[in-house]
Amino acid sequence: MQPAAGSEAGRLDKAMEVPIDPHDHRRMTRDEVSVSEVCSWEGMIPRREEWNSLLADSAGDTLFLRHEWIGIWWHHFGAGRRLAVFLARQGGRLVAALPLIEERGAVAGLPVRVLRSMTNAHAFRFNALARPGAEHALAGIWAHLRHRSRTWDVIRLEEIPSDARVIDPLVAVAREDGAAVGIWHGGDVPYLPTEGTWEEYHASLSKNMRAN
C-alpha cells in the first residue's frame, strides 16, 4: 500500500485524535468512528486493559499482540523507530486497532518511509484487532492513514495467518482507493499440536528434549 515521504520527528507522549473526514464517501452509518494515533509507549501504558479486552474479542487473538508482549518487543527492538498505533473508537469504546512501527527502509534501492507490523524472528504472528461486527472500523483507520500529516510511502504487514485475516476490510478499502496492494505467501510456520496438560506433554519428551 503506497502513498509520500517526510522527515523523522520526535516521539509524542499522548494520542492525537484525528476524526474521520465527514465528507469521506465511506463515512460510517452507525455511531461515528473516530481514530487516534499513539506515538509513544508511554501513551500505550494506560491502555493495557482495554487493549487486551479488544484482543480477546478479535479473531486474530494471539500472544504476540498482547499489550505485555508488544511492550517487551518495543523495549528491545524500538530503537531508531517510531511507534504508530492506530485506535478506532465507536461511542467511546475501543473497537479496532492496528499496531505499527514507522521506520526508514528501501524499495528497489530508493529510500522510503515504511509503516510496518511489529514482526521479526521473535514475533511471527500479526493481525489487525477488531471486535466482531466492528470490522468496518478498519476502513476508518485507512481513512486516517490517507490523511495522516506524517506522510508515508509503504505499509508492510507480515506474518498474517491465512485463517484469521482480520485485516481484509482495510486491504479492500485501500484497493478501492487505488492503492497498489500486493499479497504474497510468506511461508508456513511449524507448530506442534498438544493435548492434555503441560505436565503430561513434558513427561512424554525425551531426556534431551526436556533439558532444552
Side-chain angles (χ1 to χ4, degrees), residues 85 118 175:
V85 179
M118 295 181 177
R175 278 202 175 104

Short mmCIF file of all heavy atoms in Angstrom, two decimals, residues 85 118 175:
data_model
loop_
_atom_site.label_atom_id
_atom_site.label_comp_id
_atom_site.label_asym_id
_atom_site.label_seq_id
_atom_site.Cartn_x
_atom_site.Cartn_y
_atom_site.Cartn_z
N VAL A 85 0.57 3.40 16.63
CA VAL A 85 -0.54 2.51 16.95
C VAL A 85 -1.84 3.26 16.69
O VAL A 85 -2.10 4.31 17.27
CB VAL A 85 -0.49 2.04 18.42
CG1 VAL A 85 -1.67 1.13 18.73
CG2 VAL A 85 0.83 1.32 18.69
N MET A 118 4.78 -5.15 13.74
CA MET A 118 5.78 -5.44 14.78
C MET A 118 6.15 -6.92 14.70
O MET A 118 5.78 -7.72 15.56
CB MET A 118 5.23 -5.10 16.16
CG MET A 118 4.95 -3.64 16.38
SD MET A 118 4.33 -3.36 18.05
CE MET A 118 4.17 -1.58 18.03
N ARG A 175 -7.63 -0.89 -1.72
CA ARG A 175 -7.74 -1.19 -3.15
C ARG A 175 -8.76 -0.26 -3.82
O ARG A 175 -8.53 0.24 -4.93
CB ARG A 175 -8.16 -2.64 -3.36
CG ARG A 175 -7.02 -3.64 -3.28
CD ARG A 175 -7.40 -4.91 -4.01
NE ARG A 175 -6.30 -5.84 -4.05
CZ ARG A 175 -6.20 -6.92 -3.30
NH1 ARG A 175 -7.15 -7.20 -2.42
NH2 ARG A 175 -5.17 -7.74 -3.40
#
